[in-house]
Amino acid sequence: MSRSSDLAALAALLADDTRARFCLALLDGRAWTASELAAHATVAASTASEHLGRLIGGGLLVERRQGRHRYVQLAGPREAELIEGLVAHLEPRGQRPATLRTSRAAEALARGRTCYDHLAGRLGVALTDALTDRGLLDRTAGFALTTAGVEWLTGPLAVAPEDLRGRRPLAKECLDWTERRSHLAGLAGARLCERLLARGWVKRIGTQRAVTVTPEGTDALRLLLDLDPASLS
Amino acid sequence: MSRSSDLAALAALLADDTRARFCLALLDGRAWTASELAAHATVAASTASEHLGRLIGGGLLVERRQGRHRYVQLAGPREAELIEGLVAHLEPRGQRPATLRTSRAAEALARGRTCYDHLAGRLGVALTDALTDRGLLDRTAGFALTTAGVEWLTGPLAVAPEDLRGRRPLAKECLDWTERRSHLAGLAGARLCERLLARGWVKRIGTQRAVTVTPEGTDALRLLLDLDPASLS
DNA sequence: TCGACGCTTCGGTCGCCGCCGAAGCGTCGC
DNA sequence: GCGACGCTTCGGCGGCGACCGAAGCGTCGA
């Protein structure tokens, strides 16, 4: 099996609209059941079953059985990153999609959402910009958290230092497809999202990926990051 | 046209072995003719013609006519990055592929090669590690060139400062699929490759992507980066 | 216990896509 | 000018994959 056929096989996993829909839905970082995905993509249960078999066999998804329910989710951050990279590539640089403004659901996603395990959309970008402005994130020569940035996470955000160590990079740039700018991914991005949700400063809207800043969160972020609430609307 | 069908269409561009071979070949950053690619992938000219039409129509490649010759190349660094990301995903982390050691061509690629417009393989990784060891590249909190790193490029390497400015990030991490570690991409990676080739410190082997360090280059890199020649074999 | 439910496998259908050789057009070099 | 060459388009063929309903199995809850 050669590299080109491996590449073609990997691409083929996503080269079907139904499977692409599944993977985009699973970018919310949660586990979905087979029938939820079937309903979401409006296909028969048998079709969903076969597609999931291919995605799991190909390594993009993992599954867990709970009685008659089969829960599937993205296999990990690497897989999420792969899909996000493809999605980011779809949009020309430097321009927001005009068509995305036409629906309320899309507007909510643009305002704030989870992107696998970190925050994205206007919220994600605003947070990333604020971190940059306050010297907690250095983007002049690459994309890296500063010493002060690490301290900010372990200090006011109470992230455990060991939670910032692992095989994943601490800071990773993730191009935001609604905002056309970068938001913070990597360990730091994941922990930030986790803490903001845990503190109730950010909460989920509905069952999809959309999130919003709570009033307490607006105050806290203004205090901690000089984050202007107007930058979130 | 929805996001999922856009994603599926993009993935479909690479979900064919022949097209995948084309794109992998074009990762050398050069322009190939249609018949060169047809020969490389061992398909008929008519097949190549159709596949190239799809890749160009899909935006991954661009073409240029010179008389009867049609030169095609990757549309840009974003497209190269997309393909590299997929290729990098193919390999499990933390292990070198044993099968790649079985052929001389593969060995040359592992030693050193171009990865679109920057250096990869053992050479690329060794350079990246040396830059890190000397405090020119900071990888503790992300992936960023240090101030000293920028000065090193504009100083001893004589990169024009304006060549380090542009829409592309200065430093970008590119996972090396032969070494399983990162090498430097982005503007800095491209300029480094360019200067090393221009100075004759690195030269191409054959017509593919393989490169090697010249004796003058070995001396210069030992002087400038304490780069141990043994780390290149 | 029994019917509902979630999921899987099977068989059949249909559309799509990659492949090729042939024919044709334009460029190139002798 | 002419034959070789690079490339494109066309028509035909065969294989593959997505889709579905039906049948079947195991789990769940009243």
Side-chain angles (χ1 to χ4, degrees):
Chain A
M1 187 70 115
S2 68
R3 185 156 308 278
S4 62
S5 53
D6 288 343
L7 173 58
L10 175 61
L13 290 180
L14 294 165
D16 172 73
D17 187 54
T18 298
R19 290 200 292 278
R21 281 170 182 263
F22 285 178
C23 292
L24 289 177
L26 291 166
L27 268 181
D28 69 10
R30 300 190 290 192
W32 294 50
T33 60
S35 41
E36 280 171 346
L37 287 168
H40 177 76
T42 59
V43 291
S46 54
T47 303
S49 203
E50 285 157 8
H51 284 305
L52 290 176
R54 290 194 59 174
L55 290 167
I56 289 160
L60 285 186
L61 306 188
V62 290
E63 66 169 342
R64 193 178 68 244
R65 300 262 170 180
Q66 256 181 29
R68 64 192 165 182
H69 290 286
R70 180 199 205 183
Y71 287 93
V72 298
Q73 62 194 127
L74 288 174
R78 277 184 83 234
E79 286 70 30
E81 200 172 307
L82 178 74
I83 295 160
E84 283 158 11
L86 285 159
V87 171
H89 190 80
L90 291 175
E91 309 295 342
R93 282 207 160 229
Q95 241 184 339
R96 284 183 182 175
T99 58
L100 251 150
R101 291 205 175 267
T102 56
S103 79
R104 289 186 53 94
E107 183 60 23
L109 282 177
R111 204 173 297 124
R113 69 178 188 275
T114 55
C115 178
Y116 190 61
D117 63 355
H118 57 270
L119 289 164
R122 211 163 297 145
L123 172 59
V125 168
L127 282 169
T128 306
D129 285 348
L131 288 168
T132 307
D133 292 344
R134 294 194 55 129
L136 306 179
L137 184 65
D138 176 18
R139 292 157 83 185
T140 57
F143 198 90
L145 223 45
T146 62
T147 307
V150 175
E151 282 163 10
W152 183 82
L153 284 170
T154 54
L157 265 271
V159 175
E162 57 266 23
D163 279 351
L164 293 176
R165 285 191 289 262
R167 288 191 316 186
R168 292 174 69 186
L170 187 55
K172 194 144 180 85
E173 186 175 22
C174 182
L175 184 69
D176 199 287
W177 53 264
T178 53
E179 299 301 303
R180 302 310 158 75
R181 297 169 50 210
S182 303
H183 62 249
L184 176 64
L187 275 177
R191 298 299 171 244
L192 179 62
C193 177
E194 198 177 283
R195 300 306 303 153
L196 294 189
L197 284 168
R199 295 226 167 145
W201 293 348
V202 166
K203 69 176 178 180
R204 293 184 191 272
I205 314 172
T207 57
Q208 302 293 316
R209 296 195 278 155
V211 297
T212 190
V213 185
T214 62
E216 308 83 61
T218 303
D219 290 340
L221 293 174
R222 195 201 280 107
L223 188 67
L224 286 178
L225 283 178
D226 285 323
L227 195 61
D228 179 7
S231 69
L232 297 178
S233 28
Chain B
M1 189 67 118
S2 68
R3 185 155 308 278
S4 63
S5 51
D6 286 344
L7 173 59
L10 176 60
L13 290 180
L14 294 166
D16 171 73
D17 188 56
T18 299
R19 290 200 292 280
R21 282 170 182 264
F22 285 178
C23 292
L24 290 178
L26 290 166
L27 269 181
D28 70 7
R30 298 190 289 191
W32 293 52
T33 62
S35 41
E36 281 170 345
L37 287 169
H40 178 74
T42 60
V43 293
S46 55
T47 303
S49 202
E50 285 158 9
H51 283 307
L52 290 176
R54 290 193 60 172
L55 290 167
I56 289 160
L60 286 186
L61 306 187
V62 290
E63 66 168 344
R64 194 179 68 247
R65 301 262 169 178
Q66 254 181 30
R68 64 191 165 182
H69 291 286
R70 182 199 205 183
Y71 287 92
V72 299
Q73 63 195 126
L74 288 174
R78 278 184 83 233
E79 287 69 33
E81 201 172 306
L82 179 75
I83 296 160
E84 283 159 8
L86 284 159
V87 171
H89 189 79
L90 291 175
E91 309 295 345
R93 282 204 162 232
Q95 238 182 343
R96 282 181 182 176
T99 56
L100 251 153
R101 290 205 173 269
T102 55
S103 79
R104 287 184 56 92
E107 182 62 21
L109 282 176
R111 205 172 299 123
R113 69 179 189 274
T114 54
C115 178
Y116 190 61
D117 63 358
H118 56 272
L119 288 164
R122 210 164 297 148
L123 172 60
V125 168
L127 283 169
T128 305
D129 286 346
L131 288 168
T132 307
D133 294 343
R134 293 195 57 129
L136 306 180
L137 184 65
D138 176 20
R139 293 157 83 182
T140 57
F143 197 91
L145 223 45
T146 62
T147 307
V150 174
E151 281 162 11
W152 185 80
L153 283 170
T154 53
L157 264 268
V159 175
E162 56 268 23
D163 280 350
L164 293 176
R165 286 192 287 263
R167 288 190 317 184
R168 293 175 67 185
L170 188 54
K172 193 142 181 84
E173 185 174 23
C174 182
L175 184 70
D176 197 288
W177 54 263
T178 54
E179 299 300 304
R180 302 310 156 78
R181 297 170 48 211
S182 304
H183 62 248
L184 177 64
L187 274 178
R191 299 297 171 245
L192 180 62
C193 176
E194 197 177 284
R195 299 308 303 157
L196 295 189
L197 284 168
R199 294 226 167 146
W201 293 349
V202 166
K203 71 176 178 181
R204 293 184 191 271
I205 312 174
T207 59
Q208 301 292 316
R209 296 196 277 155
V211 296
T212 189
V213 184
T214 60
E216 309 83 60
T218 303
D219 292 340
L221 292 174
R222 194 200 284 109
L223 188 68
L224 286 179
L225 283 177
D226 285 321
L227 195 63
D228 179 8
S231 69
L232 297 180
S233 30

